[in-house]
């Protein structure tokens, strides 16, 4: 009996599938992909003799039956899903019949359209002292929302909202955000087919006008809606900076230099761990990386996409590494005195 892998294909661009996901596609005996949401270009790594089927016209029972049947014939079966399988992907509904049939299951995460949309628009979902919370949700349609999870209730936190599967419900979204106290000029971002080559559309608007913008652009499917107080921060004249990169904030890799706490730490017995220069490793110091067995060698697919070679990137020369950047230094990884292990990086 083979193993069924649920692989996140990412948001659209086939280059955004993970290396592990791509490698599984490359050795799959059978692939069932969500053709209504996953670009067929993600199948370009499949073997010539791979059995490929589109699930867009299958119900849950038929999908489970197909996966079970193919797992009885192939060592590796892939269910290729949009974004990440754990988000609105019916993952558990498909896994349960496989468990009942005694079929081993694995999951490979993928890049969510929420993250791809933020990347496309060059936006941050969190900002210091603005919001540190991101809510992933949807609006009730044919699938009801659990009690206490209406958009109006969640939106009262005035944090970042990534709203899936709801582009046809913008009128309801506007009403619920207004009920939660969001202003008419609150910024709203809508990204249609984030990262899809040649098909991505980015709309920036406000609570008042975003619905009209989407209707004018003909966007009524495959769109991510982001409502957040962080939107547009790239153009703000001032920002509260992250403490992690503040010169006065010390952690195990960098000594704080300005704060009273940092100065007190520097005077504490046993504290001083001077910076050490980072030199390029010698080949004999690379250990298993320089003498990797074939089973650990880079995937033959890892070079496809761009760069040197027939179709892709050249592999790194681990036996002859390039020198480290000049002047690059780091502090010793020994925990600082007075800082609890595991908390050094907290900002």
């Amino acid at each position: 009996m083979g193993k069924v892998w649920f692989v996140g294909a990412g948001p659209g661009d086939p280059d955004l599938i993970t290396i592990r996901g791509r490698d599984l596609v490359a050795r799959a005996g059978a692939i069932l992909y969500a053709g209504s949401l996953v670009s067929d270009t993600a199948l370009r790594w499949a073997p010539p003799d791979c059995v490929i089927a589109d699930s867009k016209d299958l119900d849950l029972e038929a999908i489970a039956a197909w996966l079970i049947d193919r797992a009885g014939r192939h060592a590796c079966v892939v269910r290729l899903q949009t974004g990440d399988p754990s988000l609105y992907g019916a993952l558990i509904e498909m896994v349960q019949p496989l468990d009942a049939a005694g079929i081993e299951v694995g999951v490979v995460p993928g890049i969510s359209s929420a993250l791809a949309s933020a990347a496309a628009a060059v936006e941050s979902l969190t900002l210091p002292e603005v919001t540190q919370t991101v809510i992933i949700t949807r609006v009730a349609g044919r699938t009801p929302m659990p009690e206490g999870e209406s958009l109006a209730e969640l939106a009262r936190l005035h944090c970042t909202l990534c709203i899936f599967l709801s582009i046809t419900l913008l009128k309801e979204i506007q009403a619920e955000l207004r009920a939660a106290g969001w202003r008419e000029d609150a910024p709203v971002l809508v990204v249609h087919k984030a990262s899809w080559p040649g098909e991505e559309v980015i709309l920036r608007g406000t609570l008042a006008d975003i619905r009209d913008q989407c209707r004018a652009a003909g966007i009524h499917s495959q769109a991510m809606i982001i409502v957040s107080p962080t939107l547009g921060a790239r153009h703000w004249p001032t920002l509260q900076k992250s403490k992690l990169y503040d010169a006065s904030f010390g952690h195990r890799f960098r000594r704080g230099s300005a704060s009273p706490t940092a100065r007190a730490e520097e005077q504490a017995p046993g504290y001083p761990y001077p910076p050490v220069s980072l030199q390029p490793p010698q080949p004999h110091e690379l250990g298993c990386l320089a003498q990797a067995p074939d089973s650990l060698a880079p995937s033959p697919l890892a070079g496809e996409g761009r760069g040197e070679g027939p179709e892709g990137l050249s592999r790194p020369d681990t036996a002859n590494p390039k020198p480290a950047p000049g002047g690059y230094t780091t502090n010793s990884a020994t925990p600082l005195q007075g800082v609890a292990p595991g908390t050094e990086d907290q900002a």
Side-chain angles (χ1 to χ4, degrees):
M1 190 67 73
K3 182 172 182 176
V4 175
W5 288 92
F6 292 84
V7 175
D13 189 332
D15 286 347
L16 293 179
I17 192 172
T18 64
I19 293 174
R20 178 177 294 181
R22 187 171 62 180
D23 286 352
L24 285 167
V25 169
R27 63 183 177 88
I31 298 173
L32 183 65
Y33 76 108
S36 59
L37 299 170
V38 175
S39 170
D40 57 10
T41 57
L43 301 169
R44 65 188 182 191
W45 298 287
D49 58 348
C50 180
V51 177
I52 298 175
D54 188 345
S55 65
K56 66 174 176 285
D57 58 349
L58 301 181
D59 59 22
L60 181 63
E61 184 176 345
I63 289 173
W66 193 97
L67 295 173
I68 291 170
D69 174 68
R70 294 299 168 177
R73 307 186 197 189
H74 306 280
C76 178
V77 177
V78 169
R79 165 59 175 166
L80 194 60
Q81 301 194 203
T82 185
D84 184 276
S86 68
L87 288 174
Y88 306 109
L91 175 65
I92 300 306
E93 294 98 308
M94 287 183 277
V95 166
Q96 284 185 334
L98 300 176
D99 287 342
I103 297 171
E104 188 178 1
V105 168
V107 179
V108 178
I111 297 175
S112 167
S113 60
L115 304 182
S117 296
V122 194
E123 295 285 0
S124 178
L125 302 180
T126 61
L127 280 176
E129 300 186 34
V130 178
T131 184
Q132 297 287 283
T133 301
V134 179
I135 293 177
I136 293 172
T137 189
R138 60 174 296 170
V139 175
R142 286 180 293 181
T143 300
M145 293 298 289
E147 185 177 353
E149 291 189 18
S150 71
L151 183 60
E153 291 169 295
L154 298 176
R156 289 193 182 104
L157 294 174
H158 287 256
C159 60
T160 295
L161 303 168
C162 296
I163 307 173
F164 284 71
L165 307 170
S166 304
I167 193 63
T168 61
L169 301 170
L170 277 171
K171 183 176 181 180
E172 289 81 355
I173 289 172
Q174 288 174 315
E176 296 207 40
L177 290 175
R178 287 166 178 147
W182 288 72
R183 293 170 30 160
E184 291 297 301
D185 61 354
V188 181
L189 173 70
V190 171
V191 181
H192 171 66
K193 288 194 169 184
S195 85
W196 285 62
E199 298 187 61
E200 179 183 272
V201 178
I202 301 172
L203 295 181
R204 299 177 184 273
T206 64
L207 177 58
D209 67 16
I210 194 63
R211 180 169 176 248
D212 291 338
Q213 285 199 43
C214 289
R215 292 173 67 182
I219 295 176
H220 49 74
S221 66
Q222 288 181 261
M224 171 59 51
I225 304 165
I226 299 178
V227 186
S228 174
T230 68
L231 294 178
R234 184 180 184 184
H235 305 291
W236 295 355
T238 59
L239 283 175
Q240 290 295 328
K241 302 299 192 298
S242 168
K243 298 298 183 186
L244 184 59
Y245 302 108
D246 191 300
S248 66
F249 183 82
H251 52 70
R252 60 178 174 166
F253 298 111
R254 188 185 71 237
R255 180 184 299 171
S257 60
S259 69
T261 300
R263 287 195 292 269
E265 285 179 339
E266 290 177 355
Q267 297 169 7
Y271 174 82
Y273 302 112
V276 294
S277 295
L278 191 64
Q279 300 298 327
Q282 299 302 310
H284 70 275
E285 297 175 317
L286 290 169
C288 64
L289 290 177
Q291 317 247 340
D294 291 342
S295 61
L296 294 179
S299 162
L301 294 169
E304 295 188 6
R306 302 184 183 89
E308 301 175 8
E311 293 184 289
L313 297 167
S314 59
R315 295 181 187 168
D317 185 356
T318 55
N320 297 285
K322 295 181 180 179
Y328 186 87
T329 61
T330 183
N331 281 337
S332 165
T334 307
L336 302 182
Q337 182 171 346
V339 181
T343 65
E344 302 96 328
D345 299 330
Q346 295 179 3

